[in-house]
Amino acid sequence: MSYKDEYEVARLYTDGRFAQALAEQFEGPTRLHLHLAPPWLARGRGGAAPRKLRVGAWVLGPLKLLARGRRLRGTWLDPFGYSAERRMERALITEFETLLDEMLPQLDASKLELGIALASLPQQVRGFGHVKLAAEQAARLRRDELLHRLDPRRYPRPQRKAQAGQLRGIAISVQR
């Protein structure tokens, strides 16, 4: 029940494996530029995606400090824990656990595929910021469809059918 947050991204860039992969892939001196969209600096305007900032290798130093700050995750000192995205992620975990508790007694061999599809929905909510919000909305639509198929008497038919399309410029495709 974990999600990739700023601390995890910082760890992935600074634990040595990223530098090793670069050294294995490129010979000689390299120049590193990262394209990041920190939530407190890069904000989308008018429904547009936030603009990423191009930063040099100097950012790896602050990322090392951020990676060590993972102990703050989930505490009142966590500066990222108060964001709408983190609150949504925590709420999704609670909703998913409740969904599993409700769904498990209804499962039998004939509904196993539906149960597996429902249980795999959290894996579809990925990314950061607007990408994650679009994925979360698509997963909710898919969840409503699957629940209706699981037990039509208990779960009403979804108002809107889950379908491929776009949400704020983000392409969405839903597997059926």
Side-chain angles (χ1 to χ4, degrees), residues 9 13 34-38 42 51-55 59 63:
V9 170
Y13 275 118
L34 300 173
H35 296 260
L36 305 172
R51 214 175 107 212
K52 291 191 176 193
L53 305 173
R54 181 179 175 192
V55 294
V59 81
L63 285 178

Side-chain angles (χ1 to χ4, degrees), residues 16-78:
R17 287 182 273 184
F18 177 68
Q20 180 182 356
L22 287 177
E24 289 172 0
Q25 191 169 0
F26 300 103
E27 293 179 12
T30 58
R31 186 184 230 167
L32 180 66
H33 294 280
L34 300 173
H35 296 260
L36 305 172
W40 60 90
L41 289 177
R43 300 197 189 279
R45 290 188 172 86
R51 214 175 107 212
K52 291 191 176 193
L53 305 173
R54 181 179 175 192
V55 294
W58 63 266
V59 81
L60 294 176
L63 285 178
K64 278 186 181 186
L65 289 173
L66 184 58
R68 284 192 215 134
R70 71 183 179 275
R71 292 179 190 93
L72 301 175
R73 183 187 288 132
T75 70
W76 65 273
L77 291 170
D78 182 0

Side-chain angles (χ1 to χ4, degrees), residues 30-166:
T30 58
R31 186 184 230 167
L32 180 66
H33 294 280
L34 300 173
H35 296 260
L36 305 172
W40 60 90
L41 289 177
R43 300 197 189 279
R45 290 188 172 86
R51 214 175 107 212
K52 291 191 176 193
L53 305 173
R54 181 179 175 192
V55 294
W58 63 266
V59 81
L60 294 176
L63 285 178
K64 278 186 181 186
L65 289 173
L66 184 58
R68 284 192 215 134
R70 71 183 179 275
R71 292 179 190 93
L72 301 175
R73 183 187 288 132
T75 70
W76 65 273
L77 291 170
D78 182 0
F80 305 107
Y82 297 100
S83 72
E85 190 172 336
R86 290 290 116 35
R87 289 193 310 265
M88 181 223 10
E89 289 165 342
R90 289 189 301 267
L92 284 174
I93 291 170
T94 303
E95 288 176 29
F96 180 64
E97 290 171 338
T98 302
L99 173 67
L100 288 179
D101 289 340
E102 288 177 15
M103 178 186 64
L104 285 175
Q106 301 175 52
L107 286 182
D108 57 25
S110 68
K111 297 178 181 178
L112 185 59
E113 281 188 43
L114 285 173
I116 292 170
L118 280 162
S120 68
L121 284 174
Q123 295 173 346
Q124 297 174 14
V125 182
R126 304 175 82 160
F128 284 94
H130 66 286
V131 174
K132 181 171 271 186
L133 289 174
E136 184 255 347
Q137 288 187 341
R140 285 187 185 280
L141 290 171
R142 180 74 175 137
R143 179 206 60 201
D144 293 345
E145 278 187 354
L146 292 170
L147 286 173
H148 177 70
R149 287 175 47 199
L150 181 70
D151 187 353
R153 288 172 283 140
R154 185 172 183 184
Y155 303 102
R157 181 176 301 280
Q159 298 289 5
R160 239 178 78 200
K161 278 200 115 174
Q163 58 191 13
Q166 289 210 352

